[in-house]
Amino acid sequence: MGKLGNALYEIHHMDEMAAQNQWMNRLHPLVKLLLTIFYLTITVSFPKYSLAGLLCMGIYPIALFILGEIPFWDSLRRLRIVLPFVCLVGLFNPFFERQPILTIGSITITAGMVSMATLMIKGIYSILASYLLIATTSIEKICYAMRLLHIPSILVTQFLLTYRYISVLLTEANRMMQAYALRAPGQKGVHFKVWGSLAGQLLLRSIDRAAEVYESMALRGYQGEFTYAVKEPCRWKDILYFLAWTAAFCVIRLAAAY
């Protein structure tokens, strides 16, 4: 299986995870979306030297991995490309902030080291929280929650169609690559002389598929608004879940301020 095939598999696997009948998946999507936004806001608000308090915020992703029965190492493998870039954010802080703040034996901890670790942890927590939202909530339910927040329908529709069209585009690209491999057996990669023609064919295929998708939407009565998910009431369990986590986040943040 090539890289495009692996990418398609990962997208379908994420959709299957979001469609599972787990306790986390059955929570109201608006509660999970608001809680993720609140968690990101609190996490980012920590001062750059508040490392101990920030570490306590790790209880949220850890709990979600356990409650949602989501494999931790498989998740890290899927995020292996994004996480290193996030960790590069504060990589140069130790060179700019050299004042020592702690000495452990012969090791001197500088302010730059602490701020670097804080920035890295903030980025890792943010990526994990977003990933866990997608892994426990289907794209239709996320769009439904966005509409409940009165986000303009054109933005929500664009978000939904972009996510759905990625798999269509990858399928077309994978089909073209398989056809090219059959016509050029033993060749590694794509020869640079055919890059332009392959890109042009992919563009034409994308335009044709987009026209077919829109015609199908119009025939099914699309008038600018999708029915993203079955409307479901917010239960008291969902409210308690939201209040419990928000209270925990506020306690951790206030404790870190003193």
Side-chain angles (χ1 to χ4, degrees), residues 165 197-210:
Y165 195 71
S197 60
L198 286 180
Q201 291 180 23
L202 182 59
L203 176 62
L204 293 176
R205 286 171 177 262
S206 301
I207 294 174
D208 292 339
R209 181 57 64 90

Side-chain angles (χ1 to χ4, degrees), residues 17 20 22-25 62-71 132 135-136:
M17 288 177 59
Q20 290 179 352
Q22 299 289 347
W23 181 79
M24 281 294 303
N25 299 60
I62 292 175
L64 262 60
F65 274 113
I66 297 174
L67 295 175
E69 299 182 7
I70 300 173
L132 289 168
T136 57

Side-chain angles (χ1 to χ4, degrees), residues 208-227:
D208 292 339
R209 181 57 64 90
E212 293 175 359
V213 170
Y214 178 75
E215 291 174 359
S216 300
M217 290 163 52
L219 289 173
R220 287 168 173 79
Y222 173 72
Q223 296 179 349
E225 184 73 32
F226 275 111
T227 303

Side-chain angles (χ1 to χ4, degrees), residues 8 13 39 46 61 67 69 126 134-135 138-139 141 151 169 196 207 217-218 220 232 243 248 258:
L8 280 170
H13 183 72
Y39 175 78
F46 275 83
L67 295 175
E69 299 182 7
S126 301
I134 299 174
S138 64
I139 188 64
K141 290 186 176 181
I151 296 176
L169 183 63
I207 294 174
M217 290 163 52
R220 287 168 173 79
E232 51 183 294
L243 293 177
Y258 293 100

